[in-house]
Amino acid sequence: MSNASTTPSDDTDSAAPFATLSRLAYTHVTHAPLHERYMPSGNFEAVGEPGEFGPIDPETGAEYRALGGPDHQYNRDYKVGSSYPKTVFVYAEDTSGESLSHNTLEAILDDRNLWSDALTPVLLPKGIEENQATWYSAFQFRPPERAPSLHRVKRQLDRIFDDAEIYREGPFLDARIWHK
């Protein structure tokens, strides 16, 4: 596993996450196991340790995934395994744009009756900050046939968050939560 990688902490410490939730995003796309990621050093670096369905993070057990585009196309900065069918992924950010941890995201989804036992933890590439790979702590619906439609998710979010702007564009559903 690369030493130049940071994942969100899974500390759960109070009701603060509910006050700092800024963005809740869903996407319905193809995906593939992420094996290597291009780094600022100019090299591809392996991620995680071997797992049943591709590399996993040894600390959290979350699987590394890359999201695909049309016709199962993937970012050239990633080396991926075989592509899987479309399913729904969900991730969240706080007010500073940082990814929420799996535990925090699960607590928020559970509190809002959005949690499902079909959700499994994954890590999605976020970007590069200070020469380190950053990740979204996310969940994917498994198997794909257990995933809700984005239309249904949007209706749920409209009912749950009266202080949110919810946008749907193609395979993406983005809820921006505003706090007073």
Side-chain angles (χ1 to χ4, degrees), residues 17-18 21 23-26 88-92 100-120 137-141 153 156-157 160-161 177:
F18 301 103
L21 175 65
R23 179 178 183 224
L24 187 60
Y26 287 79
V88 173
F89 290 82
V90 59
Y91 58 93
L100 297 181
S101 72
H102 286 111
N103 288 342
T104 302
L105 179 55
E106 181 179 346
I108 288 170
L109 294 174
D110 190 45
D111 183 67
R112 304 295 197 283
N113 294 319
L114 296 168
W115 180 254
S116 166
D117 62 357
L119 289 168
T120 58
S137 292
F139 289 99
Q140 84 175 61
F141 280 88
V153 172
Q156 287 178 296
L157 295 177
I160 294 168
F161 294 105
I177 292 91

Side-chain angles (χ1 to χ4, degrees), residues 3 17 27 38 47 95 104-105 108 113 127 131 142 159 169:
N3 292 332
T27 187
Y38 190 77
V47 298
T95 54
T104 302
L105 179 55
I108 288 170
N113 294 319
N131 288 329
R142 183 182 288 150
R159 280 195 314 270
E169 187 174 325

Side-chain angles (χ1 to χ4, degrees), residues 138-151:
F139 289 99
Q140 84 175 61
F141 280 88
R142 183 182 288 150
E145 54 271 12
R146 298 265 324 261
S149 71
L150 290 187
H151 180 71

